[in-house]
Amino acid sequence: MASSGALLSRGPDGVPLRSDYDAMCPEPKSLFKLYTGMFIVFAGFGVGAGLVLWNFAPSHKASDKVSLLADYELGAIYIGVFFLKYMFQMISANMGTARRACKVNVPDQQVYRVYGGGPADGALVMMETEGKFGEFNRAQRALANLEEYLPIFLTEVLLVGFIYPVLVCALTVIFGCARLKGAFGYTRGAKERMVGNMIGFLMNGLLDGLVVFIGVVAIRKQLA
């Protein structure tokens, strides 16, 4: 049974009275601008790391491998993957905009309606957020959210790891530990996922920036 606090935060149809986005990006502010800004900032750390490694801690092996990318005109693949990651963020912003408008907060991913003409006809069905069922729903969403990110994350791991394998190993380990922390927190409560997930996003952003940095360097070598 839902607690009285949870009931007071919802309307008679079960939909929350406020969107989780109201705290950081209430309507009519643009989530597309917010997500773009976060993407640029996080990726900027990766570009900065690439500049430091390339200019102040040069590696003959890394240089030779980037030259190999240039010889086979593979730098464009890195740029393409970086662009795809940005499109992923824009699709997420589109989802967030729709989520904010209807005030459907996490862990809910869909809203169902009862049909059939009975006494519950027309009622909306939301996820249980209280007790053990609530913990299960949030734990399941933590796993599903990681699965959503893994394909592009692993693609960037392979691309950047070809040039800087030890660094990428470290970023991957930190990312995994951070997402585990986020999953444990999410199981306890939706807001408790943020610290772990933000550390994971930072590791992801470092990879984003390194991907585009390596791609640009390879293309410059190719055109030189």
Side-chain angles (χ1 to χ4, degrees):
M1 180 179 296
S3 68
S4 59
L7 292 175
L8 289 173
S9 65
R10 295 175 181 268
D13 56 1
V15 176
L17 297 174
R18 293 176 56 85
S19 169
D20 286 343
Y21 285 102
D22 289 346
M24 62 175 178
C25 191
E27 292 181 309
K29 292 183 178 179
S30 171
L31 285 174
F32 292 94
K33 292 180 179 179
L34 175 66
Y35 280 37
T36 296
M38 293 176 63
F39 182 76
I40 291 172
V41 170
F42 281 11
F45 288 117
V47 172
L51 287 168
V52 170
L53 289 170
W54 193 257
N55 293 299
F56 300 103
S59 164
H60 291 299
K61 289 183 178 180
S63 180
D64 290 344
K65 285 184 280 190
V66 172
S67 295
L68 182 65
L69 295 179
D71 290 342
Y72 286 90
E73 301 179 353
L74 297 175
I77 293 178
Y78 285 69
I79 303 300
V81 169
F82 179 78
F83 178 78
L84 178 62
K85 180 61 181 296
Y86 178 63
M87 291 297 98
F88 182 90
Q89 295 301 311
M90 292 300 94
I91 293 170
S92 296
N94 178 64
M95 182 279 296
T97 301
R99 179 188 286 281
R100 180 180 63 182
C102 63
K103 299 180 176 62
V104 175
N105 298 325
V106 297
D108 282 292
Q109 301 302 307
Q110 291 86 27
V111 178
Y112 299 94
R113 176 185 170 182
V114 176
Y115 290 89
D121 185 49
L124 301 181
V125 180
M126 315 290 288
M127 274 189 177
E128 174 62 89
T129 59
E130 302 296 314
K132 296 299 181 183
F133 290 125
E135 290 180 358
F136 165 72
N137 284 334
R138 290 188 296 274
Q140 188 277 335
R141 271 306 304 157
L143 174 61
N145 185 253
L146 176 61
E147 292 171 344
E148 293 163 5
Y149 274 89
L150 271 182
I152 190 68
F153 178 81
L154 293 177
T155 300
E156 292 187 335
V157 162
L158 294 175
L159 293 177
V160 180
F162 175 65
I163 309 298
Y164 296 114
V166 176
L167 172 61
V168 169
C169 175
L171 294 179
T172 304
V173 168
I174 296 171
F175 174 83
C177 293
R179 292 308 297 246
L180 179 61
K181 175 179 174 58
F184 286 154
Y186 204 170
T187 302
R188 294 190 298 270
K191 292 182 179 180
E192 294 188 45
R193 77 194 190 280
M194 294 307 297
V195 173
N197 284 3
M198 288 302 291
I199 296 172
F201 290 149
L202 176 58
M203 298 303 103
N204 216 327
L206 286 168
L207 284 177
D208 294 338
L210 286 166
V211 162
V212 71
F213 175 80
I214 293 168
V216 169
V217 172
I219 291 173
R220 289 184 62 186
K221 279 180 171 285
Q222 173 188 329
L223 298 177

